Amino acid sequence: MDIKEILENNPNIYNMLKDCPYEILKKWEIKKYPRNFTICRQSEVYDYFYIIIDGYINIYMTAENGKKYSQAIYKKGDYFGELEIFTRMPYICFVETITDSTILRIGREYFLQWLELDRNITNYIMHTLCEQFYNLSKKAGEDTLYSLKHRVCHYLFCCHHDGVNCEDGIRLNIIKEQLSEQFAVTQRSINRILQYLKANNIIEEKNNFIIIKDLKELENEEEMSRFE
């Protein structure tokens, strides 16, 4: 795989890089990471801007007591490193692969040159950053205002768009530990909700994924739990 092949096969990434000057385009590096690999560590400085070509990435914070809080799950077309790269601030979060992943990265020097030469990418980052802040604000409000059951059902329902159809339903690349981090709650709390959904034949748990067996009932549970 080279940069030309990436652009041809990924419309979203093409929209980001379509006006990137050729001398900058040559500076991109393609990196492959295995599952559960830490690309960036919280409180450390990295001089790269990253774009996800393939795979799923967990963006999470860790407290001093070791408790994790997942802020977002990034996928193909998403980027990271933009907040820290301008002033070389330490990373706020850990960045860790959930699956085998392929990443494009470019060094800080060339990233800053790119922004100066390409108005398209400046507008693109401004637009998508506003969208990210909107989603983070929405998540913070939901974490405060709604029950854990509603948030788990809502999250699983939203994830079905990225799931894979299989014989038993829709397979999601999600494990219980990930849900515990996503909502900053104990594993026991997550288990209680998953057991309820399993008992009602709405989901099924496997070793490394969850299967939605009845999407309509999951949506109903999400709606009803909104008022609990």
Side-chain angles (χ1 to χ4, degrees), residues 86-115:
F86 291 102
T87 56
R88 301 194 75 247
M89 295 289 288
Y91 263 56
I92 300 173
C93 300
F94 281 91
V95 179
E96 184 177 281
T97 61
I98 297 174
T99 63
D100 293 345
S101 303
T102 304
I103 307 288
L104 266 180
R105 74 176 190 181
I106 192 168
R108 180 176 184 271
E109 175 187 356
Y110 301 114
F111 174 75
L112 296 178
Q113 290 179 21
W114 181 27
L115 291 183

Side-chain angles (χ1 to χ4, degrees), residues 4-33:
K4 181 180 178 181
E5 183 180 352
I6 289 172
L7 296 180
E8 289 176 348
N9 295 324
N10 297 274
N12 288 342
I13 297 171
Y14 172 79
N15 286 334
M16 293 180 67
L17 300 180
K18 62 182 180 180
D19 293 332
C20 182
Y22 181 68
E23 62 270 20
I24 303 296
L25 204 59
K26 294 189 297 182
K27 303 300 182 181
W28 287 92
E29 304 173 53
I30 301 171
K31 307 290 288 185
K32 291 184 178 292
Y33 300 101

Side-chain angles (χ1 to χ4, degrees), residues 91-170:
Y91 263 56
I92 300 173
C93 300
F94 281 91
V95 179
E96 184 177 281
T97 61
I98 297 174
T99 63
D100 293 345
S101 303
T102 304
I103 307 288
L104 266 180
R105 74 176 190 181
I106 192 168
R108 180 176 184 271
E109 175 187 356
Y110 301 114
F111 174 75
L112 296 178
Q113 290 179 21
W114 181 27
L115 291 183
E116 290 182 2
L117 297 171
D118 182 3
R119 185 171 182 177
N120 170 68
I121 190 57
T122 303
N123 291 334
Y124 185 93
I125 289 179
M126 183 182 301
H127 175 80
T128 50
L129 275 180
C130 288
E131 185 177 359
Q132 288 179 22
F133 287 139
Y134 177 89
N135 290 333
L136 285 173
S137 297
K138 183 180 178 183
K139 182 178 185 299
E142 290 175 348
D143 287 349
T144 303
L145 300 173
Y146 294 107
S147 69
L148 179 61
K149 180 183 175 184
H150 170 76
R151 287 182 283 146
V152 170
C153 291
H154 177 72
Y155 180 74
L156 293 176
F157 182 80
C158 289
C159 286
H160 90 268
H161 298 291
D162 296 320
V164 177
N165 290 322
C166 62
E167 184 178 351
D168 297 325
I170 304 172

Side-chain angles (χ1 to χ4, degrees), residues 39 141 194 199 212:
I39 300 174
L194 295 182
I212 300 176

